[in-house]
Amino acid sequence: VEIAGRADWGVKLVTANKEENAQGYHDPSLTVICEEASGVPRDIITQFKGTLKNPNSLFLQIGNPTQRDCSFFDCFNTQRGEWECLTFNSEEIPDSEWFSQRTNYKLAEEFGRDSDVYRIRVLGEFPFTDPNCVIGIEDLERISQKHLLYPAILAAPVRKQFGIDFARYGGDESTIFRRSGNAIVEWEHFAHVDPTQVVDRAFLMQSQAAWTDAETWYVGDAGGMGQGIMHRFYQAHKKIMEFHNGSTAMQRDYENKITEAWFGMARLAKARTCYIPPDGTLLQQLSTRQYFTTKRGKIVLESKDEYMKRGNPSPDRADGCVMAMYDQVTANGQVTLTGGDYEKVASSTRMRSLVR
């Protein structure tokens, strides 16, 4: 479409179904308008961001906020500092020939004012949670409030536990979460750091907290890079549970251990009986991980690769936090025995009296 007969001033229409459709536009005054932005894939949004390098360029995303797992949601949350965010509440619009408040009343009667339908269609707000997500953002925002910190620390039984997730690839993060009671009281994340340094840092955090080896448990990601570092825990005589995502869950409803851990975290969040740090990236990762039901009727968490194919970064912070809050440790963990030239490891299911 040409405007005023100028070939360099016009409108180009792009179908948002392939990443390549968003490439090759470099006009210095380019404006991009994404209609129904909740349904535009993240990779296409990323392509346009790379195109709009000129300061005169403008990027506009508009539409109903129908889902949380999208770039449109990120604009209002983790990337809010980069965007001017506007929300239009139809409760504030007067009756006219184009609009009637009766529509709002009908939605309120049918679905309730607290429903996601009312939030999306009337208030112009994102839903509390996506239907297939394990943990709702409302629960996560509540448990990241400071007034829950000390009650969560004192929650019985008082657990002293670390969750450690090791980076798989160069762009991933290694994360450490230190849990006291039901509260995450300290956490760190690292990029491009050797796994041995991550373990050494966790040991230092334990020492600085004055936690003894007898009362401290480590839950370590033992897949991929983590498998080659487990010996460091045994050599240091630490209580370690090697966490394998695909291993058998204690509860029959879940397909594997990582699913069980995530749903355990979801129960704590729903009951408001835990505390996590108010980190935007952590909350985003925890609130967008989805689950499915297998043909056998078991619940299974989507894999990291599946999660990343939907345009998300690796959920390293979320996995580290979830492992720290995993409550099945004493039934699954391993404890290093004294004696011998090297570590001897036995299941704490058989040696529970040594662990308590």
Side-chain angles (χ1 to χ4, degrees):
V1 179
E2 291 188 7
I3 300 177
R6 295 177 55 178
D8 61 341
W9 183 17
V11 178
K12 300 180 185 297
L13 305 180
V14 175
T15 304
N17 59 358
K18 291 192 299 184
E19 185 177 347
E20 294 78 8
N21 291 351
Q23 298 174 352
Y25 303 113
H26 302 289
D27 191 283
S29 298
L30 184 64
T31 294
V32 175
I33 302 176
C34 283
E35 166 69 342
E36 298 297 349
S38 289
V40 179
R42 279 192 175 92
D43 54 358
I44 291 180
I45 298 297
T46 300
Q47 284 295 327
F48 278 128
K49 284 183 177 180
T51 297
L52 300 174
K53 297 297 186 182
N54 191 282
N56 293 325
S57 299
L58 177 66
F59 197 175
L60 178 64
Q61 296 191 56
I62 58 177
N64 287 322
T66 56
Q67 60 176 311
R68 304 177 64 87
D69 186 17
C70 61
S71 180
F72 195 35
F73 175 79
D74 297 341
C75 296
F76 286 80
N77 292 272
T78 57
Q79 300 172 9
R80 194 178 185 96
E82 304 174 20
W83 297 84
E84 184 70 28
C85 298
L86 302 175
T87 299
F88 299 94
N89 181 353
S90 66
E91 289 182 334
E92 302 170 353
I93 301 175
D95 286 340
S96 68
E97 61 178 309
W98 305 108
F99 174 78
S100 172
Q101 285 289 339
R102 286 184 299 178
T103 302
N104 294 346
Y105 300 147
K106 290 180 179 179
L107 288 173
E109 288 179 358
E110 183 175 358
F111 299 100
R113 296 190 79 261
D114 295 330
S115 68
D116 281 340
V117 172
Y118 195 86
R119 285 175 60 84
I120 295 168
R121 301 299 175 186
V122 179
L123 304 181
E125 299 285 352
F126 286 94
F128 285 127
T129 184
D130 289 333
N132 288 338
C133 288
V134 180
I135 311 176
I137 188 62
E138 182 185 17
D139 295 331
L140 293 168
E141 289 175 343
R142 292 285 182 86
I143 65 173
S144 61
Q145 296 176 3
K146 281 290 186 181
H147 72 274
L148 288 179
L149 174 58
Y150 290 105
I153 290 176
L154 300 175
V158 177
R159 297 177 181 273
K160 297 184 177 181
Q161 186 168 311
F162 283 83
I164 305 179
D165 185 67
F166 297 102
R168 297 186 303 167
Y169 309 113
D172 295 355
E173 291 181 325
S174 292
T175 61
I176 304 173
F177 285 82
R178 182 167 69 89
R179 169 190 180 180
S180 180
N182 274 352
I184 299 297
V185 294
E186 186 178 9
W187 70 287
E188 296 186 13
H189 55 92
F190 314 87
H192 310 293
V193 173
D194 188 274
T196 58
Q197 294 178 270
V198 177
V199 173
D200 290 342
R201 179 58 186 168
F203 291 169
L204 179 61
M205 291 166 67
Q206 176 193 342
S207 176
Q208 291 174 338
W211 287 3
T212 66
D213 288 343
E215 63 184 351
T216 305
W217 274 96
Y218 287 87
V219 181
D221 172 23
M225 295 289 292
Q227 187 58 58
I229 204 68
M230 291 294 107
H231 68 281
R232 295 292 297 271
F233 295 97
Y234 300 130
Q235 290 174 337
H237 299 283
K238 306 293 185 181
K239 290 179 179 178
I240 174 69
M241 173 189 169
E242 294 190 17
F243 194 95
H244 296 271
N245 288 356
S247 58
T248 304
M250 295 290 293
Q251 301 176 58
R252 295 181 179 179
D253 293 338
Y254 304 117
E255 179 72 10
N256 50 40
K257 197 174 296 298
I258 188 64
T259 304
E260 179 180 49
W262 269 77
F263 274 86
M265 177 76 196
R267 284 192 294 272
L268 290 173
K270 194 72 175 179
R272 312 283 198 266
T273 55
C274 63
Y275 171 82
I276 62 174
D279 172 69
T281 299
L282 174 62
L283 267 60
Q284 190 272 336
Q285 292 179 7
L286 286 170
S287 65
T288 54
R289 197 78 175 265
Q290 296 184 353
Y291 71 95
F292 309 96
T293 303
T294 68
K295 293 180 180 179
R296 296 183 297 167
K298 290 194 174 186
I299 299 172
V300 58
L301 185 77
E302 68 175 337
S303 68
K304 277 190 176 183
D305 290 337
E306 290 170 333
Y307 178 79
M308 294 170 67
K309 283 180 181 178
R310 294 194 288 113
N312 298 297
S314 181
D316 305 307
R317 298 187 194 185
D319 281 347
C321 180
V322 165
M323 285 190 287
M325 302 303 290
Y326 185 55
D327 282 339
Q328 301 291 341
V329 173
T330 55
N332 289 275
Q334 293 178 317
V335 58
T336 302
L337 302 177
T338 58
D341 296 331
Y342 196 59
E343 66 272 7
K344 297 178 182 179
V345 180
S347 167
S348 68
T349 303
R350 299 192 301 271
M351 304 184 56
R352 190 165 299 184
S353 61
L354 295 181
V355 179
R356 290 192 182 277

